[in-house]
Amino acid sequence: MTGPIPMPYPNADAPAQDLIAACVHCGFCLPTCPTFAVLGVEMDSPRGRIHLMKTVWDHRLGADSPGLEDHISKCLDCRACETACPSGVEYGKLVEGARSQIVTARPRSPLERLVRVGAFDWLLPHRRILGAFAVFSIAAKRLGMGTLLRATRLGLARRMADLLDLLPDRATSDPLVAAPAKGQRRGRVAMLEGCVMGSVFGATNAATARVLARNGVEVVATPGQTCCGALHAHAGERERARELARRNIAAFERSAVDAVIVNAAGCGAAMKEYGWLLKDDPEWSARPSVFAAKVRDATEYLGDLGVTERPGTLRGRVTWDDPCHLLHGQKIRAQPRALLAAIPGLDIVPLEEADWCCGSAGTYNVTQPDLARSILERKVANIVRSGADTVVTANPGCLMQIQSGLRHSGSNVRVVHLLDLLDEAYRAH
Amino acid sequence: MHGLVALLGPAKVLGTHDDLLLYEYDGAVDTATPDAVVLPESTADVSALARFCHEHAVPIVPRGAGTGLSGGAIPVEGGVVVSFARMARILEIDVPNLRAVVQPGVINLHLSTAVAPHGLYFVPDPSSQKACTLGGNVAENSGGPHTLAYGVTTNHVTGIEIVLSDGTVVRLGGKAAEDEGYDLVGTFVGSEGTLGLVTEITVKLTPLPEDKRTLMAAFPTMDEASETVSAIIAAGIVPSAIEMMDQLAAQAVEAAVHAGYPLDAGGILLVEVDGPRDGLDEARARIEAICRQHAASEVRVATSALERERLWAGRKGAFAAMGRLSPDYYVQDGVIPRTRLPDILRLVKDAGARHRLRVANVFHAGDGNLHPLILFDSRLGPDELERAKAAGLEILTACVEAGGSITGEHGVGMEKNCYMPLQFQSSDLAAMRRVKDALDPPGLMNPGKIFPTPSRCREFAFASTTR
Amino acid sequence: MTATVTRTSPGDATECSQILAQATADRRTVRIQGSGTKSYLGDVGTTDIELGTERVAGVIDHVPADLTVTVGAGTRMADLKVALERAGQFLPLDPPHADEATVGGVIAANSNGFWRARYGGVRDLLIGTRTALADGTVARAGGRVVKNVAGYDLDKLLVGSLGTLGVIVEATLKVLPLPETSDGLVARFERPDEAFAVAHAIVRAAARVEACVIDRTDESFWRVAVQARGSGPTVMRAISDARREVAARHGDAAELADVLDRMRELPARATDGALVKVSLPVAASAAFAENAARLESFAALAVDAASGVARVHLTNEDDAVIRDAEALLLAARMVGGSGRIERRAERLRSRLLTWPNRPNGDFLMRRIKEAFDPAGILEPGRSAFA
């Protein structure tokens, strides 16, 4: 190929060369990649994507090439490849780096720019607006807007309809109230309320606080916190993500706590990486890393601490589905399983490919509807085959995605957050 | 390109610059970009493709998962890369006959997982078994740690369907142990895609052993570890696997998988015996005693399946874990009679030192199959790979001189085809060439592999070794 | 050309290859002979030259700790056995005619016994060869190491090639330490399905037996012979498991004695009538054997339970033998197997071809034969694909 020199990476957020160098292209990641499983091509495998990133450094491919954008945006960022990788390649950092470059390098259409500003600047960081939007959307969904939108046969409208599809039938945005520890105090924590968690799954936040309190953990309120920025970072909006990270760090620093508890796996994974996100910001130096070291997923914290009070008995056949950003992003595997096993009366059955992505992956449903559907169908089939009547997980995206998939397949398997189930068990006393 | 799309449809053909860049590598160090990539979904697709390439004199290069370690899937002379990623179905599990019929894209471990409920498994277990395909295993005649007692791929394949370079489809062998006429199945296994494209494979399934004992033994130096290997064999014990690892390799592995290998040992052995429960503990005790007689500082027996898996995870992830020590590695695959282990290991060390490169060793000691991993950093300049290859050549020369082979399981590919004259005289190579010409007359199947090519091998004019 | 047969016995590979080169130039046909134990194989007539391998004999290299041995192809299996035993090892191959047969002949004929289940067959044990070719060159394939994938596996091509590609002059094989102990049994059953069910359970048991063979002679019962060798505990376990299988199906177990040897030597005894050898998917072997035993000319059969290789001896009037032999080969093909008339009475030669049908891929085999022996001097009539 001759022609002009391909466009190099535009800025310092580019996927780092030394991270790329850790990949020895052994191919161990291929069979763990959901998009490779569906598409079967090297470009849509982790190894292929890393090689694409490398070819930009080698000036063989432009940062603005359509191929790069196509394949990098097909990545779920589920990070199953990280778990499979014997070389310890930090793929999540690489793919987010690549996305940040593509966003800058590729011209966006005015409509896409508008959607990005709307979603990332207005909605996600503003709980009240997001909450109102959620209430409005659920109302629209109930009124059959989905069918109407689909009838327009417009691409954007159809995607909006897909998004509506995901929403639960009811949103709760109850504000999180501080909860004193019951019995002897074993810890003092703050909690991330989160954008989607706070505006759609407010009840889960409240449940999390109750379960923590039951086990001797005091939950203190943290005013000034905001969206964690994970969705921004996944979408390549690193500057916006950094802005949110700084606000959160500042807010949580004000409360002297042992840990910052997150009950959304995607948020926790992102917050644990604030150090990396802000690594080039000299003014903040060590603050992000110090903060990140305090971040704990709710299941991780409670699992490590151990439950002091035995939960009440529940009946049913349940199975556990690992949220990618819990298992692959945070390497948390044992604790949620132990917590589930601590609830008496449950028949816990194994879920095949519990470590596979459900296809939610942030905004993937909206950006890659066809792939998301194939991946979701695989997950639903596994859940149905497991024979469970309840599938337990720990991330809002997964909750919505799996619920929607099950509903479409006509299954009445219930999907529930682990902390909600624990709360239910404690209330069953 | 347009012809291919017209023939197979756009969904099965890749041809853009961006896409082709992604089929220029495999698990080894050499690269070359194909002119097109085809993703067949059936034998008929493969046959149509072969006819097309035959008509237009275009080379065909088969590709499984691209985990190969000799550049076998690299289109060094251009042409079409055929990826079998979409021919990945297990067609039949025949329990009464202890056979499975699979498409070439099936992942090795997926087959063993699929037949496990029947108490069976597929024996060859290359370290890449989580990713590598059975088609690739057939092409390379892959081995693995457990081939010491149970053999390599060729010992476990009884039938294949092949597409010849002119598009003809032939079925050879089947579910029975033997077939009449020449053993063409045995000839195709290990032919590295140079004779035809394998589109279906019938493999033997083996009953899972009733139980296993896995030991990890740590020695002060590699010498003691090597001597222990010979002593175990001399005692009449044939373990299912004997693997060895040096300190550098153990350190990389520990960083990656926390297998529990001691970091201060000069040499580590992983020994496994399997079979009926009766006699296993006796064999384990004898091995343990032999290790201690040879100055083992620690002998640990896995007490649970989990612990055994951890010990093996370390071994199986060892190559890829080199990424933690160095951005690039060049792995050699020479084989020696196992009694020559101590001398050759010293020589490997010297070769690394001479070329100012670190060398880690992790290999199938029971088979005498070395895997020196020569660490280099291509970012420091082309000289790095050159030095790595020079060190590799010295090691292979020593293996041949010790009565061994330049490759035990990775294949010759484009990485070692220039080295073939080290091991074989021209009459030996001529005999192989006759097979090639008989089965692939136009020479379109994976050209530039196995046989030395004048263009790439000019600098390697080896004096034929005397034997 | 002369009509007289020239007998020659070269002393090394080079001499051997020179003879072949000359024969190629003169268009004189060559027949290769070890001990001549399996000269009944194939449809070969008289040749111009008879090339004996008796002078390329003896152990060339044996490093016990490497578990390999390199021998001249003319080495008799019996002599090799003695040599290996001195080092406490053995070649895990138990072909018929083992007293007289040579290593080269065993390889060329792919002559396997009953140990295949445990140790693999000739193709699994052979790791290197040196072969004199028709053009006067000597080609080496494989090597002396147990693992080797450098270049094509020409060893596999030679196994069972019946001398049609060249003269094997040297071979390297895998050997094993001699087992500590041995035990066995033979059980009798009324019905074939019982015998096969027991045999198939035994070969799949956790403790692997060395041999498990089902046979039937003109007596009215089916026998299962089992032998286990290895360390004390494993042999004990294997035989006690086998006894349990036998008892579960009401078989009646007795001492093994020389039963296996007699089963193995069926080809040696089958001088009359025809001996049909088939290789079947194992699950098809029970029905095949049952049907074979009902044939008019049935005399005896032996089936290796592990590999599905079966031999049926037929004796009767010629027409019945021919009809039954052809029926057996057809039956084998129908279940996905293959076969040949391994041996037949001299008078049946013209009426009963070794390979009435061509194998799959015969056109490729012809191309390979032409590439190695363009003049067609080597063993004319010994090819399944001609």
Side-chain angles (χ1 to χ4, degrees), chain B residues 62-421:
Chain B
R63 179 184 177 93
T67 58
L69 294 170
S70 57
I74 305 303
V76 58
E77 296 185 6
V80 178
V81 163
V82 187
S83 162
F84 284 97
R86 292 182 188 163
M87 285 178 73
R89 276 182 306 135
I90 296 174
L91 301 173
E92 189 190 352
I93 295 172
D94 182 349
V95 177
N97 282 311
L98 296 179
R99 296 288 186 272
V101 183
V102 301
Q103 290 189 314
V106 170
I107 291 172
N108 174 301
L109 187 62
H110 289 187
L111 176 60
S112 282
T113 309
V115 300
H118 304 288
L120 302 171
Y121 75 123
F122 177 63
V123 166
D125 63 338
S127 295
S128 57
Q129 75 177 138
K130 283 183 182 168
C132 65
T133 64
L134 291 162
N137 294 167
V138 167
E140 304 296 329
N141 190 12
S142 305
H146 289 89
T147 58
L148 176 59
Y150 300 119
V152 294
T153 301
T154 193
N155 309 113
H156 298 273
V157 174
T158 58
I160 48 174
E161 178 188 76
I162 48 166
V163 173
L164 297 168
S165 54
D166 64 359
T168 311
V169 181
V170 191
R171 297 183 73 89
L172 300 170
K175 289 179 180 173
E178 292 178 9
D179 203 354
E180 296 299 316
Y182 297 144
D183 185 355
L184 293 181
V185 175
T187 308
F188 264 86
V189 176
S191 64
E192 305 192 15
T194 62
L195 300 179
L197 300 164
V198 174
T199 48
E200 195 185 293
I201 309 159
T202 305
V203 298
K204 288 185 196 171
L205 301 174
T206 303
L208 283 160
E210 187 176 57
D211 211 345
K212 303 173 182 177
R213 296 288 181 272
T214 310
L215 296 87
M216 191 274 305
F219 298 87
T221 69
M222 290 291 271
D223 277 359
E224 282 114 353
S226 306
E227 283 154 17
T228 305
V229 175
S230 289
I232 291 171
I233 301 288
I237 306 167
V238 182
S240 54
I242 310 181
E243 301 288 302
M244 201 191 294
M245 198 178 291
D246 67 10
Q247 192 169 16
L248 191 56
Q251 284 167 351
V253 166
E254 272 310 296
V257 295
H258 316 293
Y261 301 151
L263 295 176
D264 54 350
I268 289 173
L269 283 184
L270 201 57
V271 187
E272 190 162 279
V273 280
D274 66 17
R277 225 162 265 132
D278 314 59
L280 271 189
D281 282 317
E282 190 195 357
R284 195 245 325 131
R286 286 173 66 198
I287 293 168
E288 210 175 325
I290 293 169
C291 290
R292 298 226 185 265
Q293 279 158 25
H294 289 82
S297 56
E298 182 188 350
V299 181
R300 196 186 316 156
V301 183
T303 53
S304 66
L306 197 71
E307 204 176 330
R308 175 183 312 125
E309 267 169 40
R310 259 188 358 132
L311 287 176
W312 276 114
R315 169 60 188 92
K316 297 216 166 182
F319 283 15
M322 291 303 138
R324 301 195 181 244
L325 297 179
S326 166
D328 301 285
Y329 69 83
Y330 179 58
V331 57
Q332 278 306 349
D333 178 38
V335 193
I336 48 156
R338 78 173 72 72
T339 44
R340 302 291 305 275
L341 268 178
D343 320 340
I344 299 285
L345 286 174
R346 263 192 295 277
L347 198 140
V348 167
K349 200 173 172 186
D350 295 347
R354 233 186 336 275
H355 294 277
R356 289 169 286 121
L357 294 167
R358 287 184 298 167
V359 183
N361 284 289
V362 45
F363 61 100
H364 312 305
D367 297 318
N369 189 180
L370 303 177
H371 288 324
L373 295 139
I374 306 166
L375 309 180
F376 68 99
D377 187 346
S378 54
R379 294 172 304 176
L380 303 178
D383 170 55
E384 287 269 314
L385 177 58
E386 289 312 310
R387 277 189 288 133
K389 287 195 167 181
L393 179 55
E394 285 177 22
I395 294 167
L396 292 187
T397 308
C399 289
V400 172
E401 280 167 4
S405 169
I406 58 171
T407 173
E409 57 183 8
H410 296 171
V412 176
M414 65 179 286
E415 186 201 76
K416 293 183 285 285
N417 62 329
C418 298
Y419 302 166
M420 283 289 273

Side-chain angles (χ1 to χ4, degrees), chain C residues 212-242:
Chain C
C212 179
V213 187
I214 303 125
D215 91 333
R216 183 182 160 99
T217 53
D218 41 10
E219 295 159 84
S220 64
F221 47 80
W222 295 76
R223 291 191 299 182
V224 176
V226 181
Q227 185 171 42
R229 296 207 295 173
S231 71
T234 56
V235 168
M236 227 157 80
R237 167 76 185 275
I239 295 301
S240 77
D241 284 359

